[in-house]
Amino acid sequence: MSLVKPRKKTMPEIRNYTLNFGPQHPAAHGVLRLVLEMDGEVVERADPHIGLLHRGTEKLAESKPYNQSIGYMDRLDYVSMMCNEHGYVLAIEKLLGVEVPLRAQYIRVMFDEITRILNHLMWLGAHGLDIGAMTVFLYCFREREDLMDCYEAVSGARMHATYYRPGGVARDLPDRMPQYEASRFTSKSAAAKLNETRQGSMLDFIDDFTQRFPKYVDEYETLLTDNRIWKQRTVGIGVVSPERALQLGFTGPMLRGSGIEWDLRKKQPYEVYDQVDFDIPVGTNGDSYDRYLVRVEEMRQSNRIIKQCVDWLRANEGPVLTEDHKIAPPRRGDMKGDMESLIHHFKLFTEGFCLPEGEAYAAVEHPKGEFGCFLVSDGANKPYRLKVRAPGFPHLASLDEMARGHMLSDVVALIGTQDIVFGEIDR
Amino acid sequence: MATREQNMLEALQAAFPDNASIQHSLDLIVMDVTPADLIAVATELHDNPALSFKQLSDLAGVDYATYGHDEWATDTENTASFSRAVNAASTGSLTFNTGLELPASDRPRFLVAYHVLSLDHNVRLRLRCAAPDDAMPVVPSVIPVWNNANWYEREAFDLFGILFDGHPDLRRILTDYGFIGHPFRKDFPLIGNVEMRYDSVKERVVYEPVSIEPRVLVPRVIREDSRYVAGETPKKDDA
C-alpha cells in the first residue's frame, strides 16, 4: 500500500475567461474594443464595443448649411473619401432635381474608381499585415501614393478633398500634373524619376497608371493568392452563407463574396456606370479567401473603368458644374463684373441654398458596400435630419456570428476581411 | 417611375389593401405603418415572394420636434438684423441645462424609418413607423424579421431614446459608458452637456459642465421658393 496519496488538484482548471481586445491594439483597425468570451483559445462570444470615435457627424450636419457638410463626409470612411461625398451629394441632387453635366459624371465615376483602388489597397495592405504578410503593405502604399497625388492635383488635398459638389465637381481636371521638386526628403534623381510619368496632363498620368497597375496587382497576387500561409489563414475562415449574408445586411464585397451578385453600379446605375464596361466578381464559398479574391478582381475592374473614363474625358470637353447659380457659385470673374452673379455668390456663401421639403435616400456602391444617405428636409438651408448608412456598421455587427467557434487569431483575420474603418461605423 | 417600381407598387397595394399611405416618392416607395401592425407588415414584406424585401439597408430614428421651424423669420420685416438669429432658441445655441421649449405640434415626435431592399425585384421601400407616445416612444423590434436590425435599433435607442419592444439587448452603442441623455434629440445641445479632462489632483478623469460658448454661424432659414411646389418635382429655373 502506497503512502503517497493521489495528488489533489489545488486549482480548478479554468478554461473560460473573458478577454479584452483593444481599443488600442494595432490589429483593431482603429478604436475597436472587443470583449471576447473564450473557451481556451476558441471564441464563444464576441461583443464589439464601438463609439470610441463617435463625433456626431449627423448632428453636426444638421447645424450647417448643406454645402458645408461635404467635408465631414470625407472624414467618415477616411480611406474612401470621395465615395462618401458622392452619396451625400447624390441625396441633395435627388431632392433638388438638379442635373449634373456629363463631364462631371465621368469625372465622378473616374474618381469613385480611383477611390475604390485606394480603399482596396489600404485594405489589402492592412489585412496582409494583420495576418503576417509585411511586404504587401509596402507594395500597396507605393501605389496609393500615385493615386493620392491625383487627389491632390484635382482638389489640393491628399485625402479630404471636398471635391464633389451638388451639381457637379468643384473644378475641372488640371492641364498639368504637378511635379516633384528636389528637397531634403527627395533627392534630385528620385524627383526626376517620379516626374518621368508626370510630364503631361493629369489624364496622361492616370492613363499611364492604368497601364502600370495590372502588373502591380499581379505582384500582390504572386505574394498572396497561392501562398500557403495566406490560404491557411483565410480559406474557410468566417464562412457566411448567402441567406445569412442578406439577413446580416451585408453589402459590397462582403455580399458578393458569399455568392450573391449584387452591385449598385450595375443594378441601380447612377452617373454613367451604365455607359462603361466592367464585370462584377462573385465568390462561391463565402469565406475570407473568396472576399480577398473578389476585392483583388475589383481592383482590376476599377482599373478598366478608369481607363474608359480617361478616354472619354480626353475626347469630350464641357462644363463640370451646373449653371444653376442658386446651387453652384458663379465663376469668380463673373462675380467681379455682374451684379446678378455677385448676389448669387453672396447668398450662396452666407446662407447656402434651401432644399424642397421632402425625404430622399441615395445610395452608392462604396468600396466597402452600400453607402447611403437618408436626408429629411423641411425646406430649410440645413438638413433636418441626415442619416448615414455606413456599410461597415452591419458588417461589424456580424462579427459575433462570424467569430463564434474560431480561434482568437482568426478574429484578427475577420476584422481584416470585413474591411473595418471606424470613421464610418462610429460616425 | 420605372416599370419595376410600378409593378411593386401594385403588388404592395394588393398585399396591403387597407393601407392608403403607399406611394411612390423620388425613386422609392414609401409606406406608413402603425407600431401595432409593424411586425405583421414586416413579415409579409420579407416572406411574400411578390415583395421579397430580404434586406434591411438602414434604420433611422427621426425627431420631428422642431420640424418646419427656422431661426430667422423671412416673411416679416425686422430691424434686429443678424442678432435675431443668434438669440433664437435652437439646438445649436443651447448650453448646459437650458432646455429647449419645444413648439406644440400635433404630429408624433419620434419616427423610425426603415429602408428595405428587395434584391429579387430591385426595388427599395421606406417603411415609416411613428411612435405614438412622445414621452415614452415604443416601437416593436424587427430583429426576428431582419436580423441586422439589432445594432440599428440600439443606435436609435442610444441617440433618440426610442425603445424597441422585444429587443434582446437594448444597450447604448455609440455614446460613452454612463452617458446621460439622447444626443440626437432636438432639445439636446449641439455642444453637449459635459466635457471631461484629467484632474491631476484627484488623479482621475473628471466630468464638468461644458465651457464652450455655443454659436450659430449660419442661421437656419426656410425660404418660400416657388420652384418647389409641394408634391411636385422642382422645375427648371429660367433665371
Side-chain angles (χ1 to χ4, degrees), chain B residues 44-54 117-121:
Chain B
E44 179 72 8
L45 287 173
H46 184 272
D47 294 342
N48 186 339
L51 310 174
S52 178
F53 286 95
K54 295 285 184 203
L117 172 67
S118 170
L119 284 87
D120 297 345
H121 304 289

Side-chain angles (χ1 to χ4, degrees), chain A residues 3-210:
Chain A
L3 286 173
V4 182
K5 276 195 265 176
R7 227 171 87 194
K8 218 171 127 189
K9 273 190 188 156
T10 48
M11 244 177 73
E13 199 182 312
I14 303 172
R15 286 180 55 82
N16 289 66
Y17 49 92
T18 308
L19 189 78
N20 187 48
F21 178 95
Q24 302 292 349
H25 191 284
H29 282 221
V31 284
L32 169 65
R33 185 182 166 210
L34 266 178
V35 178
L36 299 166
E37 278 171 29
M38 310 289 294
D39 176 19
E41 216 186 318
V42 176
V43 178
E44 289 207 315
R45 200 174 85 95
D47 181 17
H49 287 211
I50 62 167
L52 286 100
L53 198 61
H54 179 61
R55 294 144 293 173
T57 303
E58 293 156 358
K59 179 120 176 159
L60 280 169
E62 285 171 17
S63 72
K64 299 223 181 307
Y66 286 98
N67 48 7
Q68 290 184 18
S69 298
I70 303 170
Y72 283 131
M73 298 301 129
D74 286 320
R75 287 150 180 83
L76 287 172
D77 179 359
Y78 42 76
V79 293
S80 33
M81 297 67 72
M82 286 199 195
C83 288
N84 304 341
E85 293 173 19
H86 203 166
Y88 176 67
V89 163
L90 269 186
I92 295 174
E93 284 164 0
K94 203 171 260 187
L95 265 180
L96 278 172
V98 61
E99 263 171 53
V100 181
L102 197 57
R103 187 174 167 84
Q105 296 191 23
Y106 270 96
I107 294 178
R108 281 183 182 182
V109 167
M110 183 173 82
F111 269 98
D112 272 14
E113 297 310 316
I114 287 179
T115 309
R116 197 176 314 277
I117 294 180
L118 269 176
N119 177 80
H120 284 3
L121 285 174
M122 176 78 205
W123 161 80
L124 185 63
H127 190 30
L129 203 58
D130 284 346
I131 300 183
M134 177 88 194
T135 320
V136 198
F137 184 77
L138 301 172
Y139 277 27
C140 289
F141 270 65
R142 179 188 62 189
E143 273 73 78
R144 267 172 69 83
E145 207 57 36
D146 279 348
L147 295 175
M148 300 261 226
D149 284 348
C150 294
Y151 260 54
E152 187 173 359
V154 85
S155 73
R158 279 163 55 82
M159 296 185 77
H160 301 305
T162 327
Y163 180 56
Y164 294 6
R165 303 287 162 88
V169 293
R171 56 177 182 167
D172 208 340
L173 306 170
D175 295 331
R176 270 190 70 234
M177 187 69 193
Q179 297 185 2
Y180 280 87
E181 282 172 17
S183 70
R184 279 198 296 151
F185 311 102
T186 319
S187 69
K188 239 184 190 151
S189 58
K193 195 162 184 317
L194 282 167
N195 290 339
E196 267 172 29
T197 52
R198 290 173 170 77
Q199 296 300 319
S201 73
M202 189 187 160
L203 284 172
D204 293 337
F205 176 73
I206 298 176
D207 193 21
D208 179 68
F209 180 84
T210 58

Side-chain angles (χ1 to χ4, degrees), chain A residues 107-404:
Chain A
I107 294 178
R108 281 183 182 182
V109 167
M110 183 173 82
F111 269 98
D112 272 14
E113 297 310 316
I114 287 179
T115 309
R116 197 176 314 277
I117 294 180
L118 269 176
N119 177 80
H120 284 3
L121 285 174
M122 176 78 205
W123 161 80
L124 185 63
H127 190 30
L129 203 58
D130 284 346
I131 300 183
M134 177 88 194
T135 320
V136 198
F137 184 77
L138 301 172
Y139 277 27
C140 289
F141 270 65
R142 179 188 62 189
E143 273 73 78
R144 267 172 69 83
E145 207 57 36
D146 279 348
L147 295 175
M148 300 261 226
D149 284 348
C150 294
Y151 260 54
E152 187 173 359
V154 85
S155 73
R158 279 163 55 82
M159 296 185 77
H160 301 305
T162 327
Y163 180 56
Y164 294 6
R165 303 287 162 88
V169 293
R171 56 177 182 167
D172 208 340
L173 306 170
D175 295 331
R176 270 190 70 234
M177 187 69 193
Q179 297 185 2
Y180 280 87
E181 282 172 17
S183 70
R184 279 198 296 151
F185 311 102
T186 319
S187 69
K188 239 184 190 151
S189 58
K193 195 162 184 317
L194 282 167
N195 290 339
E196 267 172 29
T197 52
R198 290 173 170 77
Q199 296 300 319
S201 73
M202 189 187 160
L203 284 172
D204 293 337
F205 176 73
I206 298 176
D207 193 21
D208 179 68
F209 180 84
T210 58
Q211 312 280 340
R212 287 180 281 142
F213 189 62
K215 247 175 66 201
Y216 295 147
V217 182
D218 292 342
E219 284 178 14
Y220 318 142
E221 287 219 74
T222 318
L223 287 168
L224 296 175
T225 305
D226 293 322
N227 183 320
R228 208 171 79 205
I229 306 171
W230 181 258
K231 287 182 94 165
Q232 279 170 348
R233 291 300 305 276
T234 53
V235 174
I237 301 296
V239 180
V240 183
S241 69
E243 296 76 36
R244 288 307 295 161
L246 284 179
Q247 270 291 343
L248 293 169
F250 281 14
T251 47
M254 295 288 287
L255 186 64
R256 292 192 283 274
S258 290
I260 295 181
E261 197 197 333
W262 180 264
D263 190 314
L264 292 179
R265 293 175 293 171
K266 282 272 191 222
K267 301 284 180 184
Q268 301 175 358
Y270 47 98
E271 311 297 4
V272 285
Y273 274 115
D274 48 357
Q275 305 288 316
V276 289
D277 191 26
F278 64 103
D279 298 320
I280 303 297
V282 177
T284 46
N285 305 316
D287 59 1
S288 297
Y289 187 67
D290 274 21
R291 289 186 282 267
Y292 155 75
L293 292 177
V294 165
R295 287 190 175 110
V296 168
E297 182 55 32
E298 274 188 18
M299 287 201 276
R300 296 187 191 274
Q301 296 299 330
S302 294
N303 198 51
R304 261 176 82 190
I305 300 175
I306 295 172
K307 177 79 184 98
Q308 293 169 53
C309 290
V310 167
D311 293 343
W312 192 93
L313 287 165
R314 270 192 176 142
N316 298 276
E317 290 289 315
V320 293
L321 195 56
T322 175
E323 290 294 312
D324 184 354
H325 297 311
K326 298 271 187 280
I327 296 152
R331 264 175 285 280
R332 196 153 184 88
D334 297 348
M335 195 191 92
K336 302 283 182 189
D338 177 25
M339 191 65 203
E340 186 84 358
S341 298
L342 182 68
I343 294 168
H344 276 139
H345 185 274
F346 177 75
K347 287 306 279 183
L348 211 50
F349 286 96
T350 52
E351 189 181 291
F353 49 84
C354 292
L355 254 61
E357 190 178 349
E359 297 170 348
Y361 179 80
V364 293
E365 186 70 29
H366 184 273
K368 292 182 168 60
E370 176 183 322
F371 180 92
C373 274
F374 174 45
L375 204 57
V376 181
S377 163
D378 60 350
N381 58 342
K382 303 175 179 182
Y384 185 76
R385 165 93 168 109
L386 171 71
K387 170 74 173 48
V388 172
R389 190 254 186 233
F393 193 77
H395 293 165
L396 185 63
S398 73
L399 187 70
D400 178 38
E401 187 173 320
M402 285 174 79
R404 256 174 223 208

